[in-house]
Amino acid sequence: MTDSSCHLWWRDPLGSPPHDGAWVSIDEHAFQRAEQHTTGLHRLPGPVPDWAEDLFRVARAAFIADKYARRHRVQDRWTRRITLSVPVTEHDRWQRPDARTHLATLLQSLTGDVWDLDLRPLKGRHIQQAMTDPGEERASEVALFSGGLDSLCWAATRAVADDPRPLLLVMFREIGLKSLQDQVYQAVAQRTRPVSLLRMDHTPKGDGTRQRLEPSSRTRGLLYAAGAIRAATAHGVATVHIPENGQVALNPPLTAARSAALSTRSVHPGTLHTLNTLLTAVSDHETGVQVVNPWALRTKGEVCAAGLTAGLDPSQLEHTLSCGKPPARRKGGRRLANCGLCFPCLVRRSGLLHANGTDGTPYEATPWTDVLPSDRLTDWRALERWLRTPYTRTDLLTDTPLPPDADRAAAFDVITRGREELARLLSLTSRTG
């Protein structure tokens, strides 16, 4: 590994890494163990098509590369050049120019890095395949379920739908928060419609150096989406829902230093458009899947209100996870589920205030009452400045590009309404702080 690039090779038993000392070989058995931790031992009602297994494998490899290549080692402490080699079964599909272009664009827009991709033929079926159980009932809908407000409220609205077939929720476990995620799931599990849960794990394994893995993880959203897509194909479902309120999905940068990939854009309309274009390029008509954000034009407060309408109570909304820095990624502190200081937590506060009139969530800290070091108030101060600055359609369009078919007026309107919710939060804190 050099100071400016990271070369990762997923080695299979019949292959050999390039003759280049700069490459880091990821041992096949270690990668298999990591894959097993991610896919879990769940059973699916039908086979997973090769293209979906390939997508999930590529997403796994990109996620591991993202964690192994530390940003602090490159000159600008952010932009890496990552050369990634991954075996795929449907090699001809992935060699199509449009497929390779969309994959590279997707990874670059997510992470802000330069990706050189080598998708080579998979030799032999040594990769563990999904276990199938033809007797398992097929779901009619699939949605990601994080244990957060947006996914809970979406699951609640669908769990009361008049459909005898199950709603499948795909959950990736957050380290140390299993009990909280289970509690949130129970809020929708006993509703009119049958609901089933598919648990997956994304815990990255160390690379043998005993050094902390890269803390940023812009590819995590792609890994989650690929896992849900994989499950959807086995259930014969053509749409995967990734619920994220429009404010956070668009995620307008509070400062110039947070533009584009410097803030998470995993559910941005442009990201989903590129992912769907990639899916069209590599899938087939019979098993094709598209990804949709059902909350794209709702603010956080409007999402919370929809959850209440679906039968959730305020306390169930408050016992969710919204934090952009969950306990496992924080240093010190009381390690409550929600830190209360990051931008997602601030949006959460404004949304619950809008829907409930109050917010009884136990937070680790409160920026307008607690005495805190300045580095912990970065998001709060940035939000204050952002709300004092006019936000225009030019601001929306000059950050991460919207897809050609996007309703720009509607996207701008959801940001405007979200700003109003956040402004009410600040107005309240100015009277109580």
Side-chain angles (χ1 to χ4, degrees), residues 147-229:
L149 272 170
D150 297 340
S151 63
L152 169 63
C153 290
W154 177 250
T157 63
R158 302 311 305 156
V160 296
D162 185 17
D163 189 338
R165 294 173 299 172
L167 164 68
L168 176 64
L169 302 178
V170 180
M171 175 192 289
F172 280 77
R173 183 178 67 88
E174 280 287 348
I175 300 173
L177 294 174
K178 180 180 181 298
S179 60
L180 181 148
Q181 289 180 305
D182 287 346
Q183 181 180 356
V184 175
Y185 170 68
Q186 290 304 317
V188 296
Q190 304 300 324
R191 304 228 160 211
T192 306
R193 179 183 181 185
V195 180
S196 58
L197 182 67
L198 191 160
R199 300 178 187 276
M200 305 184 84
D201 196 344
H202 72 287
T203 306
K205 300 299 177 183
D207 61 355
T209 64
R210 297 187 178 181
Q211 297 179 7
R212 184 188 182 193
L213 297 179
E214 168 57 36
S216 70
S217 189
R218 296 289 188 259
T219 54
R220 188 171 57 224
L222 175 60
L223 174 62
Y224 291 178
I229 291 165

Side-chain angles (χ1 to χ4, degrees), residues 29-242:
H29 295 294
F31 223 108
Q32 281 253 40
R33 288 193 298 271
E35 169 114 0
Q36 290 170 7
H37 275 281
T38 300
T39 62
L41 298 178
H42 54 263
R43 294 183 181 274
L44 296 172
V48 176
D50 287 338
W51 70 262
E53 287 285 12
D54 286 340
L55 175 67
F56 189 60
R57 192 175 304 123
V58 169
R60 279 287 303 133
F63 176 72
I64 293 175
D66 194 11
K67 301 302 291 183
Y68 281 10
R70 282 75 162 181
R71 294 188 187 274
H72 73 269
R73 294 183 178 181
V74 299
Q75 187 172 8
D76 65 358
R77 302 183 69 82
W78 184 262
T79 309
R80 303 162 297 186
R81 186 179 189 93
I82 299 177
T83 305
L84 184 64
S85 178
V86 185
V88 290
T89 302
E90 295 279 357
H91 183 254
D92 290 343
R93 293 177 187 261
W94 290 93
Q95 289 305 303
R96 297 169 181 169
D98 54 346
R100 293 174 62 84
T101 298
H102 295 315
L103 177 58
T105 299
L106 180 62
L107 289 172
Q108 184 165 348
S109 64
L110 282 173
T111 69
D113 301 307
V114 178
W115 292 78
D116 297 321
L117 302 171
D118 172 28
L119 302 178
R120 67 187 194 277
L122 175 64
K123 300 177 181 179
R125 292 290 186 134
H126 63 281
I127 304 299
Q128 179 180 346
Q129 301 297 304
M131 296 182 293
T132 59
D133 181 0
E136 182 174 330
E137 188 174 6
R138 290 177 181 259
S140 61
E141 291 184 73
V142 175
L144 279 178
F145 188 79
S146 65
L149 272 170
D150 297 340
S151 63
L152 169 63
C153 290
W154 177 250
T157 63
R158 302 311 305 156
V160 296
D162 185 17
D163 189 338
R165 294 173 299 172
L167 164 68
L168 176 64
L169 302 178
V170 180
M171 175 192 289
F172 280 77
R173 183 178 67 88
E174 280 287 348
I175 300 173
L177 294 174
K178 180 180 181 298
S179 60
L180 181 148
Q181 289 180 305
D182 287 346
Q183 181 180 356
V184 175
Y185 170 68
Q186 290 304 317
V188 296
Q190 304 300 324
R191 304 228 160 211
T192 306
R193 179 183 181 185
V195 180
S196 58
L197 182 67
L198 191 160
R199 300 178 187 276
M200 305 184 84
D201 196 344
H202 72 287
T203 306
K205 300 299 177 183
D207 61 355
T209 64
R210 297 187 178 181
Q211 297 179 7
R212 184 188 182 193
L213 297 179
E214 168 57 36
S216 70
S217 189
R218 296 289 188 259
T219 54
R220 188 171 57 224
L222 175 60
L223 174 62
Y224 291 178
I229 291 165
R230 178 177 178 271
T233 61
H235 282 265
V237 176
T239 302
V240 167
H241 290 108
I242 303 183

